[in-house]
Amino acid sequence: MNIRNIAIIAHVDHGKTTLVDKILHQTNVFRANQESGDLIMDNNDLERERGITILSKNVSVDYKGVKINVIDTPGHADFGGEVERVLKMADGVILLVDAFEGPMPQTRFVLQKALQLNLKPIVVINKVDKENCRPDEVHDAVFELFFNLDATEDQLNFPTFYGSGKNGWFNSSLTKCDDITPLMDGILEYVPAPKMPEGNLQMQITSLDYSSFLGRIAVGRVTRSFIEENQWITLMQADGSAKKQKVRELYVFEALGKRKVSKVEAGDICAVVGIEDFNIGDTIADAEAPEALPVISVDEPTMNMLFGINNSPFFGKDGKFVTSRHLRDRLVKETEKNLALRVVDTDSADSFLVYGRGILHLGVLIETMRREGYELTVGQPQVIVKSIDGKKCEPYETLVVDVPQEFASKVIDLVTRRKGEMLIMETKGEMQHLEFEIPSRGLIGLRTQMLTATAGEAVMAHRFNDYKPWKGAIPGRNNGVLIAKEAGSTTAYSLDKLQDRGSFFVDPGEEVYKGMIIGENNKPGDLVVNPNEGKKLTNMRASGSDGAANIAPKILMTLEECMEYIQHDECIEVTPNFIRMRKAILDEEERKRSAKSLKAEA
């Protein structure tokens, strides 16, 4: 068959999306005079801003008469659910590894999934033009990783290509060539054509698309037989139910778009229009003799957060969707395509418990909702605790940090304070490579502290490892916060006088309300302050008393930094234009009563 299905997998920032760009240019998808730009596949605003792939996407290119379906996958551990489902569409994988960093935690995670599915790997060592690169050592490390993951004899015999995605060349040796032709030829040579098992129609839905004209569209790979327009099929669902439905239209992927067809043979990836009430993992099967494929299994979430309606005094001022019904509908809709997410109702009708893979996974969901016009309140992220053999257990992660040698001791100190244990310490060029095992709780708030301690030089990555016994209390934030005493507009006069108390998250002239967190205290313990006090104006003037207010700029915090910063009695108010931190109980007297009753219970 003249089809090859290949997924590109790698750790975050190793160059997957850049490689897809080069494949698109090599196969003349764009006209010579057409502006295409970079990161063609990262077409979502959030992906371009953060420089990471969040959603997996596929394109199709034609090379030497062979159709190659290329699937670009996310590299971040938090979006592992995305990778796990799309690998089912591939017959081979390109494992991209940075020539300096070598295999990283996420490389191990995605490679393990690919080897379990018996996919043929091609190893590409990228960025060989970088200083300090060590392609031969990295090749040995990749072989060792394959061996440790119980790769078969055939998988261990992987072909390797070297090159630079940014400069647009890949070759089977370290010799520089003109373009990526050797790699494209390697895909045709090493990736097997799709197998064609005997039997009736089977196609698993591994992704979904949406069109305002056509509604929800099921995307997947035809595993057996063929699928036709206007054909009657049976939709086999995960709960065991089966529904007869009719295929209205069929599309195959062509370059960056889709092309309408009347029939799709086994082995190709297609989009099916006309099927209703389907979920990812369901099987489209023959109408008369349906057979279901195994349901896609996705690793369990490790963290949860409380999402609720915005109940601050500024409720409804900024967003379009503010009620609990809006919030519930949006979260349920997200679970349809985001397999690693779970939503659970709580005792209150206004709040929901949302389970996810990590802070970035939940942060991207909140950021997306904010941009769509939702107002909501989110609580502190909590790890999911399980009872295993009667013992209280929590999730542990493998943390990898690459840092200049002079900062290594600071990193070790920070991680060990948070109950992390060092497993590996080795030198990579001028950098120190450190590996730790740390409870997931210890990672909350660690990134900000580590970047501060290492002057922004640390590169850290982590992935879920296993559930292990509870490690005890982990120290949280050292300093308290400054809380607004009453509602009003902040004044330069008041903030100037309060500067020796701490640093601020607000500027003069900003609207605040009672109970809102407006800054960080210099000392432990919270402090209620009045940032709205105006200067008393009289006719009397004294020389030197009218010095201009000299106020430090406010500290700007991203949504993820706020999520890591807040404590259990605090929450974040998220609206389309503002992110504010506040106390869960706004009234000071009520907070004191609540703290007393909690102490009495303890």
Side-chain angles (χ1 to χ4, degrees):
M1 273 191 73
N2 284 342
I3 292 180
R4 301 288 185 275
N5 297 317
I6 189 149
I8 299 181
I9 59 174
H11 186 79
V12 68
D13 265 352
H14 281 197
K16 296 174 296 303
T17 306
T18 306
L19 174 58
V20 178
D21 289 355
K22 298 303 171 197
I23 291 174
L24 291 169
H25 288 297
Q26 179 82 22
T27 51
N28 301 322
V29 165
F30 304 104
R31 297 189 312 277
N33 64 346
Q34 189 175 352
E35 278 287 323
S36 60
D38 292 335
L39 307 178
I40 300 153
M41 297 296 285
D42 285 353
N43 49 16
N44 156 334
D45 288 346
L46 256 181
E47 293 181 315
R48 284 186 168 272
E49 283 169 29
R50 290 166 183 253
I52 58 171
T53 301
I54 295 169
L55 302 167
S56 61
K57 305 164 201 73
N58 42 311
V59 291
S60 162
V61 297
D62 189 75
Y63 182 72
K64 294 187 177 177
V66 177
K67 179 181 181 181
I68 303 175
N69 287 314
V70 182
I71 306 160
D72 183 21
T73 64
H76 221 285
D78 281 21
F79 307 111
E82 233 6 69
V83 181
E84 287 166 65
R85 61 186 173 84
V86 296
L87 285 179
K88 288 270 183 109
M89 296 198 277
D91 294 299
V93 291
I94 290 179
L95 177 68
L96 208 64
V97 185
D98 185 299
F100 169 68
E101 291 185 351
M104 294 286 277
Q106 183 66 4
T107 319
R108 184 186 184 92
F109 171 78
V110 286
L111 180 62
Q112 189 169 15
K113 300 288 175 193
L115 294 179
Q116 284 167 358
L117 291 167
N118 208 21
L119 303 180
K120 176 69 184 174
I122 294 175
V123 173
V124 174
I125 295 177
N126 192 17
K127 306 186 186 181
V128 296
D129 54 337
K130 270 174 79 173
E131 286 179 39
N132 301 334
C133 72
R134 38 194 200 101
D136 294 333
E137 283 176 52
V138 168
H139 180 270
D140 294 344
V142 171
F143 184 85
E144 200 173 311
L145 178 62
F146 271 79
F147 186 77
N148 291 340
L149 293 175
D150 298 328
T152 63
E153 190 103 358
D154 182 46
Q155 287 170 333
L156 278 170
N157 193 20
F158 54 82
T160 308
F161 292 86
Y162 302 87
S164 164
K166 192 176 175 186
N167 296 327
W169 67 273
F170 284 104
N171 203 349
S172 52
S173 66
L174 279 163
T175 315
K176 189 172 179 179
C177 60
D178 297 331
D179 54 22
I180 65 166
T181 305
L183 176 60
M184 298 301 289
D185 291 337
I187 292 173
L188 299 192
E189 183 183 347
Y190 298 111
V191 176
K195 294 188 178 72
M196 303 283 284
E198 293 294 314
N200 296 325
L201 166 66
Q202 270 187 331
M203 169 184 159
Q204 188 154 45
I205 299 169
T206 46
S207 189
L208 60 87
D209 208 343
Y210 184 80
S211 152
S212 48
F213 300 107
L214 303 169
R216 291 172 80 225
I217 302 168
V219 178
R221 171 180 157 175
V222 182
T223 313
R224 254 178 15 191
S225 189
F226 58 85
I227 186 166
E228 285 184 302
E229 223 174 14
N230 300 321
Q231 176 183 354
W232 282 95
I233 55 100
T234 303
L235 181 69
M236 309 286 288
Q237 300 200 287
D239 58 7
S241 61
K243 298 175 188 168
K244 280 261 173 75
Q245 300 206 27
K246 191 177 184 180
V247 175
R248 281 214 317 269
E249 291 177 8
L250 280 178
Y251 293 85
V252 291
F253 291 88
E254 193 167 84
L256 292 168
K258 299 188 187 81
R259 175 169 59 89
K260 193 176 176 191
V261 291
S262 56
K263 181 178 179 180
V264 180
E265 296 280 352
D268 206 352
I269 296 171
C270 69
V272 183
V273 176
I275 294 172
E276 294 171 3
D277 302 327
F278 65 83
N279 293 306
I280 289 173
D282 293 353
T283 305
I284 295 174
D286 187 69
E288 304 307 323
E291 289 176 64
L293 285 160
V295 178
I296 298 170
S297 64
V298 173
D299 287 354
E300 288 290 307
T302 56
M303 201 165 269
N304 65 30
M305 280 177 84
L306 198 64
F307 281 49
I309 61 166
N310 180 13
N311 55 5
S312 85
F314 292 169
F315 159 80
K317 281 189 176 182
D318 197 27
K320 272 194 299 187
F321 308 109
V322 295
T323 66
S324 57
R325 184 177 59 82
H326 284 140
L327 188 59
R328 185 197 172 87
D329 291 350
R330 178 63 182 82
L331 289 171
V332 169
K333 186 180 164 195
E334 185 68 23
T335 56
E336 289 178 358
K337 61 177 189 291
N338 196 334
L339 289 194
L341 202 75
R342 309 255 191 289
V343 177
V344 178
D345 289 330
T346 62
D347 299 339
S348 161
D350 293 338
S351 55
F352 310 93
L353 208 52
V354 179
Y355 292 78
R357 275 279 177 86
I359 282 185
L360 186 66
H361 185 208
L362 293 165
V364 164
L365 167 63
I366 298 165
E367 184 65 40
T368 308
M369 289 172 68
R370 180 168 99 95
R371 291 176 184 217
E372 289 170 6
Y374 285 83
E375 277 193 21
L376 62 153
T377 303
V378 293
Q380 186 193 24
Q382 304 283 348
V383 298
I384 297 165
V385 180
K386 289 183 178 177
S387 179
I388 301 171
D389 300 332
K391 283 184 180 173
K392 183 181 179 184
C393 293
E394 64 176 328
Y396 277 67
E397 308 209 14
T398 302
L399 169 69
V400 174
V401 185
D402 284 320
V403 70
Q405 289 185 359
E406 66 264 31
F407 296 122
S409 58
K410 288 183 179 177
V411 171
I412 295 166
D413 179 47
L414 269 177
V415 177
T416 46
R417 267 195 246 158
R418 290 166 169 263
K419 309 284 194 215
E421 288 179 18
M422 189 158 71
L423 307 174
I424 294 171
M425 180 177 184
E426 58 189 25
T427 307
K428 277 187 183 178
E430 295 168 7
M431 304 287 271
Q432 201 74 26
H433 176 80
L434 308 166
E435 285 190 28
F436 303 90
E437 185 178 69
I438 183 170
S440 297
R441 284 181 301 141
L443 289 169
I444 299 173
L446 178 64
R447 183 179 295 275
T448 317
Q449 286 190 359
M450 192 173 287
L451 289 175
T452 308
T454 61
E457 294 271 0
V459 177
M460 63 182 272
H462 53 89
R463 63 173 273 272
F464 172 68
N465 195 1
D466 202 1
Y467 271 86
K468 293 188 179 177
W470 181 264
K471 263 276 176 103
I474 289 177
R477 191 177 70 204
N478 294 328
N479 294 15
V481 289
L482 301 176
I483 304 162
K485 187 177 184 179
E486 55 193 46
S489 185
T490 57
T491 63
Y493 172 78
S494 193
L495 292 183
D496 186 33
K497 296 283 179 267
L498 290 167
Q499 279 193 111
D500 56 349
R501 296 291 190 178
S503 39
F504 288 95
F505 304 143
V506 291
D507 275 335
E510 278 191 39
E511 289 293 320
V512 298
Y513 53 80
K514 186 178 179 178
M516 180 172 151
I517 295 172
I518 57 164
E520 181 174 77
N521 192 356
N522 285 336
K523 299 175 182 175
D526 297 342
L527 188 65
V528 178
V529 296
N530 183 4
N532 314 332
E533 199 177 345
K535 185 174 182 184
K536 301 288 182 287
L537 299 176
T538 67
N539 285 338
M540 303 297 287
R541 287 284 179 271
S543 66
S545 66
D546 277 350
N550 189 8
I551 302 169
K554 71 174 181 182
I555 300 168
L556 289 168
M557 291 174 85
T558 63
L559 178 62
E560 274 93 22
E561 283 170 345
C562 289
M563 287 162 70
E564 292 184 340
Y565 185 80
I566 59 172
Q567 299 293 299
H568 64 91
D569 63 337
E570 298 163 359
C571 54
I572 309 168
E573 175 191 350
V574 182
T575 72
N577 294 307
F578 299 99
I579 296 172
R580 302 182 181 99
M581 291 183 284
R582 47 165 278 203
K583 286 290 178 182
I585 301 170
L586 296 176
D587 186 82
E588 188 185 355
E589 293 306 317
E590 273 187 52
R591 278 202 300 278
K592 286 177 181 171
R593 278 198 293 273
S594 172
K596 270 183 191 170
S597 63
L598 283 171
K599 267 185 186 172
E601 283 172 22

